[in-house]
């Protein structure tokens, strides 16, 4: 099974899944050691916070995405794509995958302030921010 782990430095888990541009991709099975098989580097307009549900995305090749603290919108977006979202306090990508198989994920709380204020496009355009109509 494939896992994508959000990262900024290719060593530790990033804290904001929706804005993360880099992912380590692992192949792992229960009882086995996770093996890094790929890396995804997203363009600025491909970050998951901005990617629409209806268009293909490089993250679609995984079954589970692991990040640090992420908002409800990111979590719902992943579920709509058929990907299990996991937030964790763990910083080591391999340990986070081991924890997932063991059922011992150290779940990260939702962010106190889910994101910096940012532009969602024209003022009157319909959009959704973190799972709720804005």
């Amino acid at each position: 099974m494939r896992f994508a782990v959000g990262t900024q430095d290719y060593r530790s888990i990033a804290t904001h899944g929706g804005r993360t541009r880099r992912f380590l991709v692992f192949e792992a099975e229960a009882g086995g050691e996770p093996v890094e098989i790929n890396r995804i580097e997203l363009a600025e307009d491909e970050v998951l916070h901005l990617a629409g549900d209806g268009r293909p995305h490089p993250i679609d090749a995984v079954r589970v995405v692991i990040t640090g603290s992420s908002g409800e919108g990111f979590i719902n977006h992943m579920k709509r794509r058929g990907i299990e979202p996991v937030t964790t306090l763990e910083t080591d990508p391999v340990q986070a995958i081991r924890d997932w198989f063991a059922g011992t994920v150290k779940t990260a709380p939702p962010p106190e302030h889910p994101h910096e204020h940012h532009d969602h496009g024209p003022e009157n355009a319909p959009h959704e921010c973190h799972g709720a109509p804005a």
Side-chain angles (χ1 to χ4, degrees):
M1 121 187 319
R2 289 202 176 159
F3 293 78
V5 180
T7 183
Q8 293 301 329
D9 59 8
Y10 292 116
R11 293 186 305 268
S12 59
I13 297 175
T15 59
H16 193 304
R19 290 285 179 189
T20 300
R21 292 184 54 204
R22 295 181 180 125
F23 290 86
L24 297 167
V25 179
F26 290 87
E27 186 72 40
E29 298 298 330
E33 191 65 15
V35 175
E36 183 183 338
I37 60 168
N38 196 10
R39 292 180 176 190
I40 298 172
E41 176 106 20
L42 301 175
E44 286 184 36
D45 66 341
E46 291 180 310
V47 294
L48 293 164
H49 183 79
L50 301 175
D53 290 334
R55 67 179 185 177
H57 193 276
I59 204 77
D60 293 340
V62 306
R63 180 166 169 225
V64 177
V65 66
I66 299 173
T67 66
S69 182
S70 295
E72 185 179 327
F74 173 79
I75 291 167
N76 291 334
H77 181 66
M78 290 296 93
K79 289 178 180 178
R80 286 190 304 268
R81 292 187 93 82
I83 299 169
E84 179 183 342
V86 175
T87 62
T88 183
L89 294 172
E90 179 60 57
T91 59
D92 179 337
V94 171
Q95 186 59 49
I97 294 169
R98 289 180 191 138
D99 291 348
W100 184 86
F101 279 112
T104 59
V105 172
K106 301 167 200 92
T107 304
E112 288 183 29
H113 183 64
H115 59 83
E116 296 299 318
H117 295 281
H118 51 269
D119 183 20
H120 283 284
E123 194 172 317
N124 297 325
H127 59 273
E128 184 178 300
C129 181
H130 297 280

